[in-house]
């Protein structure tokens, strides 16, 4: 047979609920065979295996077991009628003849499985042991590395990496063996009507039998593992809201409801890099600049660290020495502290000790080997600005005269090399950084007050010769910086960054040979203040720090394909900044803000989690707020806050709050869990687990996690590292590393829900103000902010609930609409509950001073009464079930669960809701967003986003003001107008939420959507015909030129359910930057543009969104 042929060699029956299996090592490494996981049991199966040995005491049993099977330990509170399914199994081979397996259940409990072989025949398994390891988030797999690490890719929520503390736990953990399981089967009553095989199958098919003999446990915090790293994941995102609700930030935040069950969370996403604040110190005044001076001697690893931090004031200079502590230096530093510093740098390459140079308004000061030499400005002129690196100094005098100094490599002294008058006042300049392996920078950038930036040569044969220039229009340059790309030491370009007075930043490429500035520079608005530019280091590569009303960082792509990434920093505005490095902070930033000096690092973990420049994701950072149940929906509330001691209306202010509804199926409420003795944190069970595992973990096999010496990895020694100590003395970090989400007890009957309504304050870090638990088995599924005219326009919270709802079959006991009012912006006060019929309440919306409610197949309009809501009118007979509702004026768009959008208008004269139009295509709607009075965007369960619009004039005859139209004419199916499909696009994932918002202050609105896998995407509208034609042509060329990893045609994929219409594939267009330069040039020529112009167009479109 060929390699592509498979023939069946052997087959056998397994447990009827078997759903996963894992291969056991064979040959000299183990007995071979497979482990099969099912409900309540794990079975070992091998070709031609003999019946397992009888357990002690059952040698003369009449029954003969044929399965080597073991039950799994069960939770104490788990109902005996419910089985526990094993969802994944993995096997790790440690050494020759030594291995173990891990299995995880649907509740998250992880078990260790060991097999005992016969002493006479190593290929015969005689016993199987299953013991509890720990409780982890439910994953889609268990991945054990060679370094004693366990990675759990979560089904929903964050993915986690764990370190093993102990693995030889058979003597201390809750354990069940195959002998106990077989003994329980032999004790069972025999059935005369069944054969032995059927009787054994029936015994193992009953969860009650497993519950009788399987050992039980209560889940606790992690005992044998501890968490070392968390990979953030938003999956699944159930709803999204965009707005600047924090109150003190420039750009809006993205608020997302994420997760499921115990891993649920409320995420606040901010576009930008997360910043860790390492130190903050007060300064005696407001500084004008800050510099770093590296040490002349390299560190232990050969890198140079900073020796001084120099802070310049209007009339003085402060020198801080960097060591184990930061201390102020006096005259012993050699700096002139009575004058402001314009530039300073360490000279030389560190081997010959070139000293330190300081540029101040009156001259240049060279500090070397304890002696000081100075160069004074001739006449009464002053130095206006300066720049310096390891071997070059360039100063600009008042009037536009430039003077260039170089370091003599032989004598170590500074020498005046050239002068030039540029003919205009200089406001900024930069000599650039010395490339790796070179002795000097070849170019200097000079920004002049005549709104030009000039590039001058610093090559020995053409000192200060102008190579190129660029005009900036009406604005002036505030700062300039030259930075080398990742591969600038070979053939890479040099990047010129210019900060402008109008708050914009300009970036252009510079030819490293000719010094020509590219003709298509990229320009981006950063803030309301002039932009200060400086060079920093990020992940070992050069980057640019841009400071305006918000700090930004930009750098080239890590792939070297020409793409430039830029993202804001999620931090307060900074005035001045530069790079900083020492042994504790390898890549930091020292900056000033007001009269404070701050040392920062990019990223939460000192820069280890920076993703700026990644190929697919923008730089976002998130804050996480843990939730109790799965979040369903959220809405904004406006609450009045009264100042204590005053009663006037003028003393009242408004506060924006967020209301969240959470609910979980097959779960108990918080009070019921406490009554049952369940603790979701596992802390209550910590002491009991310590008593059981006290001293038994001390005798641990040191080779329990050892791998085979013949492994490919030399560092694959997985020695077990069990630390023995008193758990009461564990520090806070260790406790956080051992906290794990634990699912609550599983109800024994269907229709049980746990639910709550939560009120959070977005201005205070989204802290929870109040959390109200729902009644027993009552689930809050939707919420909305409503302003009844009868209440004077006060913002109330309406919550739709369903009691005793089951999914299959879909039924419920009752439904309610609950109204709350917000008291002083702190808590919720119940006004009344209104019971509704006709189905579950899945959607609510404010509608013309009333409340429009979607109840099953009915849409009903309510007015507020004193004791309950008052029904005003309704529209019955909708196709399946109302899933979404949105209103604008007298119009409402109703999203049906199976039959797309229904367009309804309210006839105030007749007090009725009239169906105006519907969609001709059946779409299972999951979310919708109004774009204008006649247009709505919808997302469906098949991963499509569509834009639907009401045809012009379709609603003119919807409301019959004459009363002459026959009733049967108005309800005919063929007489109902159909919505037009403007756009259609296949995302590829279930779209769970969308909103219309702008992600930058003052920017154009885009359609932001989220998916079930945690993706956040956007559809950006085009505003010109030129953009449409350009991107249509680019997309057409890339359909044939771009690589296809899966081999599928891009247009066919985007037309998976219906043909793509009027939407450009942005992911495909973005692949242009990943193509080889020859293909880029070929496509650009067909577009009648240059490669730089195409790249600039792509970047401008991306910058318009973020």
């Amino acid at each position: 047979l060929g390699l592509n042929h498979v023939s069946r060699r052997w087959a056998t029956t397994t447990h009827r609920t078997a759903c996963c299996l894992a291969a056991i090592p064979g040959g000299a490494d183990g007995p071979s065979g497979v482990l099969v996981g099912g409900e309540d049991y794990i079975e070992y199966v091998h070709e031609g295996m003999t019946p397992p040995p009888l357990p002690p005491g059952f040698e003369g049993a009449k029954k003969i077991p044929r399965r080597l099977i073991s039950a799994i330990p069960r939770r104490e509170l788990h109902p005996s009628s419910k089985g526990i399914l094993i969802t994944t199994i993995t096997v790790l081979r440690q050494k020759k003849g030594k291995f173990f397996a891990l299995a995880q259940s649907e509740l998250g409990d992880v078990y260790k499985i060991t097999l005992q072989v016969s002493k006479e025949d190593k290929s015969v398994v005689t016993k199987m042991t299953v013991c509890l390891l720990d409780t982890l988030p439910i994953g889609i797999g268990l991945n054990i590395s060679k370094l004693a690490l366990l990675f759990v890719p979560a089904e929903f929520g964050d993915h986690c990496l764990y370190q093993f503390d102990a693995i030889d736990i058979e003597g201390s953990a809750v354990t069940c063996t195959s002998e106990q399981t077989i003994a329980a089967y032999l004790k069972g009553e025999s059935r005369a009507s069944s054969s032995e095989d059927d009787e054994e199958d029936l015994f193992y098919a009953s969860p009650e039998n497993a519950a009788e003999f399987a050992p039980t446990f209560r889940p606790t915090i992690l005992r044998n593992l501890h968490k070392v790293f968390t990979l953030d994941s938003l999956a699944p995102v159930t709803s999204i809201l965009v707005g600047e609700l924090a109150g003190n930030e420039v750009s809006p935040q993205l608020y997302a409801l994420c997760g499921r069950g115990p891993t649920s969370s409320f995420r606040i996403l901010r576009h930008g890099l997360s910043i860790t604040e390492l130190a903050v110190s007060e300064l005696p005044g407001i500084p004008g600049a800050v510099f770093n001076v590296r040490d002349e001697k390299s560190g232990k690893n050969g890198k140079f660290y900073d020796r001084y931090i120099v802070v310049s004031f209007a009339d003085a200079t402060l020198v801080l020495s960097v060591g184990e502590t930061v201390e102020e230096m006096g005259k012993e530093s050699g700096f002139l502290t009575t004058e402001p510093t314009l530039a300073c740098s360490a000279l030389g390459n560190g081997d010959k000790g070139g000293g330190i140079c300081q540029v101040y308004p009156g001259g240049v000061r060279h500090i070397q080997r304890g002696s000081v030499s100075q160069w004074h400005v001739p006449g009464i002129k002053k130095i206006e600005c300066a720049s310096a690196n390891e071997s070059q100094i360039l100063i600009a005098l008042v009037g536009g005269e430039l003077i260039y100094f170089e370091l003599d490599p032989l004598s170590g002294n500074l020498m005046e090399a050239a002068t030039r008058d540029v003919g205009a006042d200089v406001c900024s300049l930069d000599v650039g950084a010395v490339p790796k392996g070179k002795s000097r920078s070849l170019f200097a950038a000079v920004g002049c007050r005549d709104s030009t930036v000039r590039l001058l040569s610093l090559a020995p044969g053409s000192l200060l010769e102008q190579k190129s220039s660029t005009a900036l229009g009406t604005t002036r340059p505030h700062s300039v910086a030259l930075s080398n790309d990742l591969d600038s030491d070979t053939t890479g370009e040099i990047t010129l960054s210019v900060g402008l007075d109008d708050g914009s930043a300009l970036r252009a490429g510079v030819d490293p040979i000719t010094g020509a500035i590219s003709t298509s520079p990229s320009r981006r608005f950063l803030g309301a203040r002039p932009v200060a530019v400086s060079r920093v280091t990020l992940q070992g590569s050069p980057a640019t720090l841009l400071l305006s009303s918000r700090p930004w960082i930009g750098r080239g792509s890590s792939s070297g394909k020409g793409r430039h990434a830029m993202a804001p920093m999620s931090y307060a505005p900074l005035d001045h900044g530069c790079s900083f490095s020492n042994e504790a902070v390898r890549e930091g930033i020292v900056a000033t803000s007001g009269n404070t000096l701050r040392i920062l690092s990019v990223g939460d973990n000192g820069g280890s989690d920076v993703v700026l420049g990644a190929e697919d994701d923008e730089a976002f950072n998130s804050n996480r707020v843990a939730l109790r149940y799965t979040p369903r929906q959220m809405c904004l509330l406006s609450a009045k806050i009264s100042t204590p001691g005053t009663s006037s209306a003028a003393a009242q202010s408004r506060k924006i709050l967020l209301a969240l509804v959470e609910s979980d199926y097959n779960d108990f409420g918080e009070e019921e869990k406490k009554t049952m003795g369940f603790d979701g944190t596992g802390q209550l069970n910590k002491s009991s687990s310590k008593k059981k595992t006290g001293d038994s973990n001390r005798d641990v096999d040191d080779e329990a996690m050892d791998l085979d010496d013949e492994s490919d990895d030399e560092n694959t020694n997985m020695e077990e590292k069990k630390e023995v100590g008193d758990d009461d003395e564990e520090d806070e970090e260790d406790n956080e590393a051992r906290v794990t989400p634990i699912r609550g007890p599983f109800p024994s009957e269907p229709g049980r829900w746990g639910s709550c309504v939560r009120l959070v304050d977005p201005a205070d870090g989204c802290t929870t103000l109040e959390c109200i638990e729902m009644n027993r088995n009552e689930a809050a599924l939707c919420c909305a902010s409503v302003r009844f005219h009868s209440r004077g326009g006060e913002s109330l919270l309406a919550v739709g609930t369903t009691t005793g709802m089951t999914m299959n079959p879909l039924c419920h006991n009752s439904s309610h609409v609950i109204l709350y009012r917000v008291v002083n912006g702190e808590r919720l006060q119940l006004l009344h509950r209104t019971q509704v019929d006709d189905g579950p309440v899945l959607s609510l919306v404010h509608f013309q001073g009333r409340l429009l409610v979607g109840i099953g197949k009915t849409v009903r309009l309510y007015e507020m009464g004193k004791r309950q809501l008052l029904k005003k009118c309704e529209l019955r007979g909708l196709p399946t079930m109302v899933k979404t509702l949105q209103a604008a004026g007298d119009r409402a768009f109703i999203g049906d669960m199976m039959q797309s959008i229904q367009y309804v208008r309210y006839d105030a004269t007749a007090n009725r809701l009239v169906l105006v139009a519907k969609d001709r295509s059946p779409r299972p709607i999951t979310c919708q967003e109004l774009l204008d009075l006649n247009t709505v965007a919808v997302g469906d369960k098949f991963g499509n986003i569509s834009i639907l619009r009401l045809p012009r004039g379709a609603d003119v005859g919807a409301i019959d003001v004459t009363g002459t139209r026959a009733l049967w004419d108005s309800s005919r199916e063929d007489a109902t107008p159909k919505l037009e499909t403007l756009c259609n696009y296949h995302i590829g994932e279930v779209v769970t939420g969308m909103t219309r918002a702008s992600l930058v202050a003052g920017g154009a609105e885009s359609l932001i959507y989220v998916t079930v896998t945690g993706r956040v995407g956007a559809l950006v509208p085009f505003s010109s015909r030129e953009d449409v034609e350009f991107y249509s042509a680019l997309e057409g060329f890339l359909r044939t030129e771009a690589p296809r990893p899966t081999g599928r045609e891009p247009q066919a994929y985007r037309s998976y359910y219906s043909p793509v219409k009027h939407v450009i594939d942005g992911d495909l267009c973005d692949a242009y930057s990943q193509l080889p330069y020859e293909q880029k040039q070929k496509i650009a020529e067909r577009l009648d543009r240059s490669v730089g112009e195409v790249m600039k167009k792509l970047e401008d479109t991306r910058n318009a969104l973020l």
Side-chain angles (χ1 to χ4, degrees), residues 31-176:
S32 75
V34 293
L35 290 174
V36 181
E39 203 171 75
D40 296 320
Y41 298 95
I42 297 175
E43 182 181 3
Y44 171 76
V45 180
H46 190 278
E47 178 185 4
M49 64 181 296
T50 59
L54 296 175
F58 292 87
E59 287 77 6
K62 297 182 180 180
K63 300 179 183 179
I64 300 178
R66 61 185 177 87
R67 298 180 183 273
L68 183 59
I69 191 170
S70 175
I72 61 174
R74 298 169 63 94
R75 295 190 181 184
E76 285 185 7
L77 301 177
H78 194 78
S80 59
S81 61
K82 299 285 186 180
I84 302 175
L85 185 67
I86 296 295
T87 57
T88 180
I89 302 178
T90 186
V91 177
L92 176 70
R93 171 183 170 272
Q94 299 168 279
K95 305 175 72 173
K96 188 173 293 185
K98 194 169 185 179
F99 62 91
F100 70 90
L102 294 183
Q104 188 177 39
S105 72
E106 59 181 335
L107 302 180
D109 302 320
V110 178
Y111 305 94
K112 181 193 174 187
I113 307 164
T114 54
L115 300 179
Q116 182 178 330
V117 298
S118 173
K119 296 181 180 179
E120 294 79 12
D121 188 357
K122 298 297 183 181
S123 63
V124 177
V125 177
T126 59
K127 181 180 177 181
M128 179 167 56
T129 303
V130 179
C131 53
L132 177 69
L133 179 69
D134 264 321
T135 300
L136 302 178
I138 301 174
I140 59 175
L142 300 172
N143 302 278
I144 308 174
S145 77
K146 299 177 181 180
L147 299 176
L149 296 174
L150 172 64
F151 179 68
V152 181
E155 182 181 26
F156 291 116
D158 297 339
H159 314 300
C160 300
L161 183 67
Y162 298 90
Q163 173 79 51
F164 282 95
D165 290 336
I167 193 60
D168 190 13
I169 58 175
E170 283 77 8
S172 59
V174 180
T175 304
C176 185

Side-chain angles (χ1 to χ4, degrees), residues 63 95 108 232 366 420 965:
K63 300 179 183 179
K95 305 175 72 173
D232 289 344
H366 187 194
R420 175 180 174 162
R965 182 189 305 171

Side-chain angles (χ1 to χ4, degrees), residues 820-1060:
Y820 296 94
R821 70 182 294 261
V822 183
V823 180
N824 201 28
E826 296 176 350
R827 61 185 182 88
L828 294 173
Q829 177 187 3
L830 175 64
L831 294 180
H832 53 62
R833 297 166 57 93
T834 303
Q835 183 171 350
V836 298
D837 50 8
D838 294 336
V841 180
L842 299 182
S843 55
L844 305 165
V845 70
H846 170 83
F847 185 81
Q848 291 190 334
R850 297 177 180 179
L851 181 64
L852 190 63
V853 185
I855 311 167
K857 298 182 180 180
T858 304
V859 175
R860 191 172 297 161
L861 189 62
Y862 283 97
E863 180 60 87
M864 184 176 182
K866 291 184 177 180
R867 296 188 177 181
Q868 66 175 15
L869 293 174
L870 306 177
K871 181 168 60 176
K872 290 302 179 182
C873 67
E874 64 181 15
L875 176 65
R876 291 178 174 270
L878 294 173
T880 55
M881 187 172 293
V882 178
K883 179 64 175 65
T884 58
L885 272 176
Q886 279 190 303
D890 63 344
R891 312 176 180 200
F893 286 87
I894 303 170
D896 191 83
M897 192 169 284
M898 295 298 293
Q899 295 295 327
S900 192
I901 292 293
Q902 318 287 319
Y903 177 70
V904 172
R905 282 191 66 180
Y906 175 63
D907 184 0
T909 58
N911 189 28
R912 67 190 184 110
L913 295 168
V914 181
L915 179 63
V916 175
K918 60 175 66 175
D919 187 13
R920 56 169 46 93
S921 300
R923 309 177 198 269
I925 299 298
T926 56
C927 57
Q928 69 179 52
E929 177 66 20
L930 277 180
L931 303 183
D932 57 41
L933 284 175
N934 298 318
T935 312
V936 63
V938 297
D940 59 38
K941 293 180 182 178
F942 297 143
N944 301 305
I945 289 182
S946 305
I947 310 295
L948 307 176
R949 173 170 289 176
L950 182 71
R952 181 174 299 178
D955 59 339
V956 174
I959 299 178
D960 182 20
V961 297
T962 64
T964 59
R965 182 189 305 171
L967 292 178
W968 52 83
D969 287 341
S970 61
S971 59
R972 286 170 47 193
E973 178 69 23
D974 57 350
T976 304
K978 301 299 187 288
L979 298 174
E980 298 176 350
T981 302
L982 299 184
C983 304
N984 195 77
Y985 187 71
H986 180 64
I987 299 295
E989 305 169 17
V990 180
V991 182
T992 55
M994 58 176 60
T995 184
R996 187 183 78 251
S998 172
L999 297 183
V1000 293
E1005 286 187 335
S1006 303
L1007 185 63
I1008 313 299
Y1009 67 87
V1010 292
T1011 68
V1012 71
T1013 61
R1015 179 201 292 187
V1016 180
L1019 297 176
V1020 182
F1022 286 130
S1023 57
S1024 67
R1025 174 62 62 180
E1026 179 187 356
D1027 291 343
V1028 175
E1029 294 174 352
F1030 169 79
Y1031 279 103
S1032 298
L1034 178 62
E1035 182 187 29
F1037 296 143
L1038 288 173
R1039 284 174 184 166
T1040 58
E1041 299 292 339
R1044 303 178 186 177
T1046 62
R1048 300 187 63 179
E1049 206 278 322
Q1051 187 176 14
Y1053 175 71
R1054 296 304 180 187
S1055 306
Y1056 198 85
Y1057 284 92
S1058 57
V1060 63

